[in-house]
């Protein structure tokens, strides 16, 4: 894993830990053209897991873990993220599969973020 991707994952982990009380246990990110695609595993807190035992609770956890993240990134991208990749974040698409405790985020930037030999 490149140092740039490692630093990118650290920024994501820290923001989610600060915002939601727990960051992902594992993150796998790839850079492709103007996008960073991150798969995040082990996201949920014990409280969220308990709440998600009912259909209504599952929907609440899903909404918190998707809409809140998107709003935070839209209003104020994490410190150092845009500087690290050398581009402006223009969109974030995010979803979580609560049952599997797995999330995917697609970060779309205003220009290519790949270095030579990295991604496409």
């Amino acid at each position: 894993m490149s140092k740039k991707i490692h630093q990118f994952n650290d920024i994501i982990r820290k923001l989610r830990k600060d915002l939601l009380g727990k960051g992902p246990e594992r993150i796998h990110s790839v850079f492709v053209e103007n996008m960073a695609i991150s798969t995040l595993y082990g996201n949920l807190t014990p409280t969220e897991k308990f709440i998600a035992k009912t259909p209504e609770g599952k929907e609440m956890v899903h909404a918190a873990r998707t809409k809140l993240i998107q709003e935070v990134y839209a209003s104020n991208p994490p410190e150092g993220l845009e500087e690290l990749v050398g581009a402006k974040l223009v969109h974030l698409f995010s979803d979580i599969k609560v049952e599997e405790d797995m999330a995917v985020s697609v970060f779309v930037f205003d220009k290519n973020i790949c270095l030579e030999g990295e991604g496409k």
Side-chain angles (χ1 to χ4, degrees):
M1 173 183 353
S2 80
K3 182 178 179 183
K4 186 171 160 182
I5 291 175
H6 183 75
Q7 291 172 324
F8 185 87
N9 290 348
D10 285 346
I11 290 170
I12 293 169
R13 184 176 288 107
K14 182 181 181 329
L15 173 81
R16 293 182 188 223
K17 183 174 192 273
D18 292 349
L19 185 64
L20 298 162
K22 182 179 186 299
E25 293 166 6
R26 187 166 58 95
I27 304 174
H28 175 75
S29 295
V30 293
F31 292 174
V32 180
E33 298 176 357
N34 70 324
M35 295 178 289
I37 303 155
S38 299
T39 308
L40 305 92
Y41 303 91
N43 302 280
L44 302 177
T45 65
T47 302
E48 287 172 318
K49 289 178 183 178
F50 177 77
I51 292 169
K53 289 182 178 180
T54 67
E56 298 83 9
K58 192 181 300 181
E59 184 56 38
M60 283 175 47
V61 170
H62 182 270
R65 284 278 176 166
T66 55
K67 294 176 182 146
L68 178 63
I69 291 291
Q70 290 173 349
E71 288 175 12
V72 167
Y73 278 85
S75 64
N76 190 21
E79 187 177 324
L81 184 79
E82 293 176 332
E83 295 79 6
L84 176 66
V85 299
K88 180 172 173 34
L89 179 66
V90 290
H91 300 291
L92 171 68
F93 299 92
S94 186
D95 201 3
I96 188 167
K97 190 88 167 181
V98 175
E99 304 83 15
E100 283 82 19
D101 196 357
M102 180 180 114
V104 174
S105 291
V106 179
F107 302 80
V108 181
F109 295 91
D110 66 348
K111 61 184 177 183
N112 192 326
I113 61 170
C114 292
L115 298 173
E116 283 300 313
E118 233 182 41
K120 296 186 180 202

